[in-house]
Amino acid sequence: MPHSPEEKKKVRARVRRIRGQCDALDRALEAGADCAPVLQQIAAIRGAVNGLMSEVLESHLREQFGHAAHDDGERAARVAEMTGLIRSYLK
């Protein structure tokens, strides 16, 4: 999770843009829009969500690995957490 006020503001702005894209998709579906524009909107939403995920993941990596671990157990726990997050992201 972004911790600085600037990062948090940036991430929340991305979320609002994604929400707007989803609302536009909903309106297009309700109106019976052609498939091509609907698919294009879905692809745009997917790209926006991937960008959001990348930004938050990068922030989390900096937070977790920006300072030294206290011991091998902590280091292993951090690596295990990040491995799980990356695996879920790649699914």
Side-chain angles (χ1 to χ4, degrees):
M1 174 65 202
H3 295 285
S4 74
E6 298 84 28
E7 285 181 331
K8 190 173 185 177
K9 183 177 178 181
K10 196 169 151 183
V11 167
R12 293 194 69 221
R14 274 184 179 259
V15 169
R16 286 191 295 278
R17 282 193 302 272
I18 292 168
R19 184 180 304 128
Q21 288 176 306
C22 289
D23 290 344
L25 175 61
D26 187 42
R27 287 189 301 274
L29 291 170
E30 182 66 31
D34 291 334
C35 288
V38 167
L39 291 170
Q40 186 175 15
Q41 186 65 24
I42 293 169
I45 293 167
R46 181 181 59 193
V49 169
N50 283 340
L52 174 64
M53 179 68 169
S54 177
E55 192 170 324
V56 173
L57 186 59
E58 182 181 333
S59 175
H60 186 64
L61 280 168
R62 279 194 308 273
E63 179 72 25
Q64 287 296 314
F65 296 103
H67 52 85
H70 296 293
D71 56 40
D72 289 341
E74 182 182 352
R75 184 178 304 110
R78 287 180 185 177
V79 169
E81 178 190 12
M82 290 313 306
T83 302
L85 285 171
I86 291 170
R87 282 191 179 137
S88 69
Y89 174 64
L90 294 175
K91 284 185 180 181

